Each structure stands twice: as C-alpha cells, then as structure tokens.
Amino acid sequence: MVGIFTSLYNGVLVLINTFFRRVWKSERCQRWLQQKHLKAYRFVMGQQNLLSTIRREVVKDGREVLWFHAASYGEYNVIRPIIKTLRNENRRCVVTFFSSSGYIALMNENEKSHEVDNIFYLPLDMKSNVREFLDIVQPSKAVFAISEYWMNYLSELRSRGIPTYLVSMLVADSSYLLKWYGFPIRRAFKAFTKFMVLDERSKENLAKIGFNNAEVIGDPLFDNAIRIAKEPYQNTIIEKFCAGNTPVFVAGSVSDANDLSLVSSLIEHERDVKFLVVPHEIDAVTLHEVQEKIPAKSLLYTECTAYTDFTDVQVLVVNILGSLSRIYRYGNWAYVGGGFTAYLHSVIEPAVYGIPVAFGPRIERKTTPKEMVRRGIGAIVTTPEGLCYWFNQVREVREQEDVKSRATAFIEANANFTQKVCANIEQ
C-alpha cells in the first residue's frame, strides 16, 4: 500500500513538473497564468532553472549550514527568532519557501536587513531535485515550520542522517495523521529528530501513532511579534492617513469574500472610523475586488505620497507585502482574515499591541485564538452583523483598557520560548 501511494505521489509530481516546463516554453501560457493566477505564475516561474540558481548562489565557505523551510511568510515568522538566535559568524542560514508571497516578502526585507544568507523557492519534491538540492546546500540540520512535510525530502534527510526538526506543530484529534490514510506521512515522520508541539494534546496524539520524541514548547511567534512591536517603525503615508483624533480599525490579511463582506459591512456602519485594509494577496484582480466592495472612498497605498490629501478618504488599502505586523500598531481594533478557512492568519501580531481582535470561526488548527477567546482578548465572528455587534461592545474606552491589560499578561506569559526551541536544535 505504501509503495502504491508513493508511486502515485511521485507520478503527480512528474505531471506537475511537465506542466511547468510547458508554461516555461509557451509565452501564451505565461501570459494567461500571469493575468489569471499571479501567485501561481510567480511560483511556476520561480521553479525555472531553480537548482542552477541555488548552485550558483550557495557559497561554500566552510561554515556550518542550517536549512529552514516555511510554507509562506506567516510560517517564516515562527522560525525567524530561531534564525536570529542560531545564526552567527560560523553558520550560514538558508531559507526556502513554498509560497511566492513568502519568498517575495523576505527577499524585499533581506535586501536591507541581511537576516539570512540565502532565500530560495523550494524545488519540487521530486527525488532527483531533492538529492541535488541537498548535495548543493549540504545542511548539517534542517528545521521545518508548523505543517510542512514533504515525503521525498524527509526520506532523503533520514537516509543521510541529517537531524531534522518540526517547530510549532499542532495535532488535533481530527487530524488526518491519526486516520488510516495518514500512514504515508506517518512513515515519513520517522525522519524527524524531534517534534516541538504547541500543546499536550498534540504530544499525546503523536504518541498514539508511535512517536514519543515530542516536547511541548510554546510558540516562537510570540517572541517574533514582541521583537517587532519594540522596534522603531515609521510610515509617513499611514501616519498622515491616521492623523487626528479619528480612531483606526486594521483589517489584516483579508483573504476571501467572507472576510471582505464582514469588513465592508463594518466600514459602511462606522463612518466615524478610519480603516486600514491589508489584503493577503495584492495582485490587480484582488485589489480591484477589494476596492469595488468597499462602500466608502478608498485609496491604494501605492497611489499615495506624504503629500496626499486624505480629508475625504475613509479607507487606505495597503497593497505592500511584509509590513502588516508593524501596521497593527496604528490600530485601536483589528480583524484578522483567513478564519473562514483552515488557515487563519496570525492573531498574535495585533494582540501584542494590546488591541481587541476579531476573527472567523475556523480555529481548530490553532491554540492561540482559542486561548484569546477564553481570556476575552479575541472574539469569533461569523457574520457582518456579528462583527458590528462585537465592535460596538469593544469600542468603549474602558473595555479597550481591560483588553490591553489582559493582552499584556497573555503575551508576557508566552514569551521567551525561542530559547527552548534552540536548545533542542543545538543538542
């Protein structure tokens, strides 16, 4: 059974790679993909000659190499404080992404900060790609974030005896890993030296399927959010938009029609509030849909300068990548998108500023939003009416002060877990 699944898995990858090659050779396919699915287009084009690029850019200078992989930018923020702790003059840190948005955001940041040594897309999980990638990079250790498990990479890492770690893992009772059809991934999990999980239930569930090498360690996302909140940050355009006594609502990572419907309804009902709306995707089609749905005068961030007149503008649509965690500091309240799917975005990023946070109902894969609801810091909303009702409750000054006090205590209780993660990796 395992052999059949593995053959199917590798067969699908061959078909995907064949499609990629066809796109590379066809200008017509490239134009269509660029117009209809910009994120997919970036990913496909990023795979072109990828291994040659990696071979050219990875410098062999005798330093130890640590390889970190994250699906996207949000997941990267889990491993970011780990990299900052482990990277030194004797170590190189190579980061790979599955998502084009994560890759682009970090590339832009890294030009200024030089936070990591190399940033690449992850080559497709084909056996030949995997072997060549590991031959080039030669990592001494590999660290994966949250739920990124690729069977051929894990198999090859195990066969080479490279210590491999999974950080911030959550295994719910409903996880497919516990079902009979999760056996191929469970087999690949033998590659992991250690699982660093978010709660006791995850540790128990891993033990049920034969993995006793798990340890409950908090979420390094807290440390990353705390660091960002303490760093100086100025954005002249946003500061001019927010100037005055008008309160500001930040809608971050607006991801789909559900998020947009809720936020648009709130904008319509709260004309005395300014809104910073930050879409998760910033392609032209998405931005057109966002502005078309918003029932108020709006401007795109990239249309503005420090001299723009915002007198009649209620909504600023922030169409730049990688700044959301800093933008939350301008808000009095926040809504975090993605909660109508299984991929709710970071609720820690606004909570670290002590502001009330609302989000959609799909929080089964997350421990933090559940705890925020329990503590009265966050709230689940499912309808436009529900978001408006919540907002009217939390807009009172006294309620905001209470939330800030509870949020501060919550953040402080979850700080400094990065050191525990790093200690495990250093063993």
Side-chain angles (χ1 to χ4, degrees):
M1 182 69 77
V2 173
I4 294 173
F5 181 90
T6 302
S7 297
L8 288 172
Y9 177 79
N10 288 319
V12 169
L13 287 171
V14 169
L15 290 174
I16 292 172
N17 190 58
T18 301
F19 167 74
F20 283 4
R21 291 183 181 279
R22 186 168 184 177
V23 172
W24 297 334
K25 293 178 181 179
S26 170
E27 291 186 6
R28 183 178 178 183
C29 286
Q30 289 181 29
R31 285 196 302 270
W32 178 85
L33 199 61
Q34 189 173 17
Q35 292 170 1
K36 300 295 183 180
H37 304 282
L38 180 59
K39 189 174 182 179
Y41 168 79
R42 288 170 174 164
F43 177 78
V44 171
M45 299 311 294
Q47 291 289 321
Q48 187 174 14
N49 300 319
L50 177 55
L51 286 164
S52 297
T53 300
I54 295 172
R55 186 178 295 279
R56 183 176 63 251
E57 294 186 8
V58 171
V59 177
K60 301 293 175 57
D61 54 9
R63 287 189 288 168
E64 178 188 13
V65 177
L66 302 182
W67 169 36
F68 296 85
H69 176 68
S72 189
Y73 187 74
E75 287 78 4
Y76 173 72
N77 284 327
V78 171
I79 56 179
R80 181 174 233 152
I82 302 169
I83 292 172
K84 285 183 173 291
T85 302
L86 293 180
R87 188 181 182 221
N88 57 43
E89 61 184 12
N90 297 315
R91 283 179 174 151
R92 296 178 59 83
C93 289
V94 175
V95 175
T96 56
F97 285 101
F98 181 77
S99 160
S100 60
S101 59
Y103 172 83
I104 292 169
L106 187 59
M107 283 290 285
N108 292 339
E109 287 189 17
N110 205 53
E111 287 181 4
K112 298 178 181 179
S113 66
H114 304 291
E115 183 171 294
V116 300
D117 296 280
N118 297 105
I119 306 164
F120 304 113
Y121 284 104
L122 181 73
L124 283 180
D125 189 31
M126 299 170 62
K127 290 182 179 181
S128 58
N129 288 349
V130 170
R131 295 191 193 103
E132 187 172 353
F133 174 81
L134 293 177
D135 285 344
I136 297 169
V137 177
Q138 296 181 6
S140 63
K141 295 178 180 179
V143 180
F144 292 75
I146 304 179
S147 58
E148 277 292 285
Y149 0 99
W150 297 96
M151 294 205 313
N152 288 323
Y153 276 103
L154 291 178
S155 176
E156 190 65 21
L157 285 165
R158 184 187 179 200
S159 69
R160 296 186 184 211
I162 298 173
T164 304
Y165 305 87
L166 186 58
V167 179
S168 290
M169 185 186 196
L170 185 67
V171 186
D173 292 343
S174 59
S175 173
Y176 73 93
L177 295 171
L178 306 179
K179 312 298 184 183
W180 68 267
Y181 48 82
F183 68 91
I185 301 298
R186 293 197 295 269
R187 187 167 180 260
F189 271 15
K190 293 178 181 179
F192 285 113
T193 306
K194 194 155 198 175
F195 300 92
M196 286 171 260
V197 299
L198 293 177
D199 59 14
E200 285 289 344
R201 194 63 176 171
S202 296
K203 182 178 179 179
E204 293 168 4
N205 283 334
L206 281 172
K208 287 179 183 177
I209 54 177
F211 295 99
N212 296 303
N213 54 333
E215 182 177 344
V216 179
I217 295 178
D219 194 341
L221 269 175
F222 283 92
D223 292 332
N224 188 63
I226 291 168
R227 176 189 62 81
I228 290 172
K230 289 180 178 178
E231 289 177 349
Y233 178 74
Q234 286 187 311
N235 186 307
T236 54
I237 294 173
I238 293 179
E239 286 172 6
K240 184 172 184 184
F241 173 74
C242 297
N245 297 320
T246 305
V248 177
F249 189 105
V250 182
S253 293
V254 174
S255 301
D256 57 23
N258 290 301
D259 291 335
L260 189 54
S261 176
L262 267 65
V263 172
S264 297
S265 179
L266 189 63
I267 292 170
E268 186 172 17
H269 283 86
E270 306 297 336
R271 294 295 185 178
D272 61 337
V273 176
K274 289 186 175 181
F275 287 79
L276 290 167
V277 176
V278 187
H280 184 59
E281 302 294 340
I282 57 171
D283 58 276
V285 173
T286 298
L287 293 175
H288 175 74
E289 290 175 354
V290 169
Q291 286 196 287
E292 190 175 56
K293 183 72 174 179
I294 290 173
K297 185 175 180 180
S298 67
L299 288 176
L300 294 178
Y301 176 92
T302 52
E303 295 174 340
C304 304
T305 70
Y307 304 102
T308 299
D309 183 1
F310 291 111
T311 303
D312 299 321
V313 180
Q314 188 186 357
V315 182
L316 182 63
V317 179
V318 184
N319 58 330
I320 55 174
L321 293 173
S323 298
L324 177 57
S325 57
R326 293 171 174 82
I327 289 171
Y328 280 121
R329 72 186 65 206
Y330 294 108
N332 302 93
W333 314 272
Y335 173 85
V336 175
F340 287 88
T341 72
Y343 304 100
L344 172 66
H345 298 286
S346 176
V347 295
I348 299 172
E349 290 176 352
V352 77
Y353 296 104
I355 60 178
V357 185
F359 37 82
R362 296 288 305 277
I363 61 173
E364 65 271 14
R365 298 177 71 247
K366 307 275 188 176
T367 58
T368 301
K370 294 176 185 177
E371 185 63 17
M372 287 175 59
V373 171
R374 190 184 72 81
R375 290 174 177 252
I377 304 166
I380 295 172
V381 292
T382 58
T383 63
E385 294 78 15
L387 180 60
C388 291
Y389 177 77
W390 168 81
F391 180 74
N392 287 326
Q393 286 185 310
V394 299
R395 72 177 302 170
E396 298 296 327
V397 173
R398 180 179 296 178
E399 178 62 24
Q400 289 182 57
E401 290 176 350
D402 288 344
V403 169
K404 186 170 185 177
S405 176
R406 292 193 294 267
T408 299
F410 176 58
I411 296 298
E412 289 177 352
N414 285 278
N416 301 318
F417 286 125
T418 298
Q419 295 297 332
K420 293 182 179 180
V421 174
C422 292
N424 276 282
I425 296 172
E426 293 274 35
Q427 287 180 353

